[in-house]
Amino acid sequence: MKVLPLVYPTIDSLPQHSYIMSILEVNHQIDHLIFDKYIQFKVDEYKNEVAVLDYCEDDFLSFSQFKDNSYLLTRREIDVDIIKFLVEHIEKEYYIFLHVDEYFLPFSRAYRNYNLGHGIMIYGYNEENKTFNVVGYDINNKFSFNLVGYSELRKSYEKLPEYFKINNDDYLKKIFMLKPKFVESNLNKDLLVCLITEYKHSANTIKNYAKDYYTNCNTFFGISIYKVLIKHYRLALYDEKINLLTKNFYILIEHKKLMKDRTEFTFKKMGIKNTELLECINVILRDLQIAMNLNIKFNLTKDKKNIIKILNTLEKVYLMEVNFLNKLLLTYKRF
């Protein structure tokens, strides 16, 4: 039996980010992460929905906290039984991120309902009970800690190639072997100002990130995501086929919480006292929470009055955030 340490992460909405956080926050690495990462943002625009918002961050192994101690495999490079492979690497203190078919995982919303190629992370095992400790997303699509039997894990892993016949995504074939190292946090004000400026001007900075998967659609960056969402909700007033995803608001709120944490952290490091700016970000968070509740309400009632209220809130928040960023950048440049 061996279980590696893990905590509930600050970011809990998207696996490629939440799993990293859950490992690194054990060693209190959150300050290092939020200082110069999770600033840039993007959204992919499709015909009937705005796809889930995402942070413009590189993959697991490009993070300085992982790259020296970790490595990448593909499914074809594993030439032993997957259970044996997982147990051996957990004993070596690797966290293992891989994709499986969640049809076979009891904690998943897909369990015995539909095939779903999705990422899970394995961080422990119990040979006596024949179970693995697994983090994934549960029936409510929430980050969760789970126990999965050896046989269920094997099925979910071995059956994924059948999913490839429909969705031949090379990313799903990758297996990340993760082992963190401690990194000191160094505050680089010039870098911070540059990154926030790129976000404010909606610069396309995808070239700066080692993403190895892309989408065939229009992609927008930085604060322009508000304009994309506003356009999308206006279309929803007249087109009932538009899918209004509540998760977008959840991720947007999460992004602002990180912005608040980053601002408080840097103000403390730099000796800045500005309660007005901190209160501004609190108001933004409050209004986005209201908009998310309205989105939930609309999806239940289909009352378009809620869409109008969401639009008014998004337009208000957009102007508030522009004002916040302008004042924040001026404050940093004065110190």
Side-chain angles (χ1 to χ4, degrees):
M1 175 178 177
K2 189 177 185 71
V3 180
L4 302 178
L6 212 60
V7 297
Y8 199 94
T10 297
I11 289 179
D12 66 354
S13 57
L14 299 167
Q16 64 269 36
H17 306 300
S18 61
Y19 295 166
I20 288 174
M21 289 283 192
S22 65
I23 297 171
L24 294 179
E25 289 189 59
V26 171
N27 295 313
H28 307 290
Q29 293 283 278
I30 184 64
D31 289 344
H32 177 82
L33 276 178
I34 68 170
F35 173 70
D36 61 1
K37 295 178 174 67
Y38 299 104
I39 294 175
Q40 187 57 294
F41 218 31
K42 76 177 182 70
V43 63
D44 297 325
E45 185 183 43
Y46 293 93
K47 183 177 179 181
N48 291 330
E49 71 176 31
V50 176
V52 173
L53 301 174
D54 197 1
Y55 306 94
C56 286
E57 292 302 331
D58 36 17
D59 64 27
F60 292 103
L61 302 186
S62 294
F63 278 84
S64 59
Q65 294 93 328
F66 287 106
K67 64 182 180 182
D68 292 342
N69 297 340
S70 305
Y71 65 98
L72 174 67
L73 290 171
T74 61
R75 293 173 66 94
R76 67 174 178 270
E77 293 177 272
I78 298 179
D79 56 4
V80 297
D81 176 70
I82 187 60
I83 304 303
K84 180 181 179 182
F85 175 86
L86 294 172
V87 168
E88 287 179 352
H89 283 80
I90 292 167
E91 281 292 338
K92 295 175 183 177
E93 301 195 340
Y94 283 102
Y95 299 81
I96 303 111
F97 173 86
L98 76 166
H99 290 82
V100 297
D101 186 345
E102 291 197 359
Y103 177 89
F104 300 96
L105 300 185
F107 67 81
S108 172
R109 67 188 186 281
Y111 182 54
R112 294 183 177 176
N113 288 317
Y114 54 89
N115 298 102
L116 177 66
H118 202 250
I120 61 172
M121 190 169 71
I122 302 166
Y123 65 100
Y125 77 96
N126 186 319
E127 183 64 33
E128 183 178 347
N129 296 332
K130 305 294 182 186
T131 57
F132 286 108
N133 298 81
V134 175
V135 288
Y137 286 77
D138 63 19
I139 57 174
N140 296 313
N141 204 27
K142 297 293 186 182
F143 182 99
S144 62
F145 300 89
N146 309 277
L147 292 177
V148 175
Y150 282 7
S151 61
E152 294 163 329
L153 195 288
R154 180 183 282 109
K155 281 183 184 178
S156 69
Y157 177 80
E158 292 178 348
K159 290 293 184 178
L160 189 63
E162 295 181 14
Y163 184 81
F164 294 154
K165 295 174 185 177
I166 304 171
N167 302 273
N168 190 24
D169 189 338
D170 286 340
Y171 186 73
L172 299 181
K173 300 174 185 178
K174 293 183 177 181
I175 299 172
F176 296 90
M177 313 300 297
L178 303 171
K179 186 182 290 189
K181 67 173 184 177
F182 182 77
V183 177
E184 291 289 345
S185 178
N186 295 312
L187 196 156
N188 183 333
K189 188 189 77 171
D190 292 338
L191 172 62
L192 180 62
V193 168
C194 177
L195 293 171
I196 294 175
T197 301
E198 288 178 343
Y199 171 80
K200 175 193 163 189
H201 291 292
S202 302
N204 181 348
T205 56
I206 199 69
K207 63 182 182 298
N208 298 332
Y209 303 98
K211 286 280 191 183
D212 58 357
Y213 57 98
Y214 295 90
T215 52
N216 296 318
C217 62
N218 294 324
T219 301
F220 299 85
F221 299 85
I223 202 166
S224 66
I225 62 171
Y226 284 107
K227 294 183 178 180
V228 177
L229 288 172
I230 288 168
K231 172 188 171 184
H232 187 67
Y233 278 82
R234 283 176 180 161
L235 288 173
L237 285 170
Y238 308 102
D239 186 350
E240 294 182 356
K241 294 180 181 178
I242 298 291
N243 187 16
L244 301 180
L245 300 175
T246 299
K247 187 166 185 176
N248 279 330
F249 275 110
Y250 189 91
I251 298 171
L252 191 57
I253 290 168
E254 188 177 75
H255 183 258
K256 303 315 155 196
K257 286 180 179 177
L258 289 173
M259 186 183 291
K260 178 185 176 183
D261 289 345
R262 182 182 304 110
T263 304
E264 290 176 341
F265 170 66
T266 53
F267 278 14
K268 183 177 179 181
K269 284 279 188 180
M270 298 166 70
I272 299 172
K273 294 182 179 180
N274 191 323
T275 55
E276 178 190 352
L277 277 175
L278 295 176
E279 179 56 29
C280 181
I281 194 66
N282 282 330
V283 174
I284 290 171
L285 277 166
R286 181 200 67 195
D287 286 356
L288 286 174
Q289 183 67 52
I290 291 170
M292 184 171 74
N293 292 338
L294 287 168
N295 202 90
I296 294 170
K297 192 173 181 180
F298 168 75
N299 284 329
L300 290 172
T301 66
K302 302 303 178 184
D303 185 347
K304 291 186 178 180
K305 291 178 183 178
N306 293 303
I307 295 181
I308 295 171
K309 291 178 182 178
I310 291 170
L311 280 167
N312 290 336
T313 303
L314 284 172
E315 289 166 352
K316 175 187 172 186
V317 167
Y318 170 72
L319 293 175
M320 281 195 295
E321 190 166 326
V322 169
N323 181 56
F324 169 82
L325 293 171
N326 286 334
K327 291 183 177 180
L328 181 65
L329 288 169
L330 281 174
T331 301
Y332 284 140
K333 289 173 183 177
R334 286 174 185 156
F335 281 81

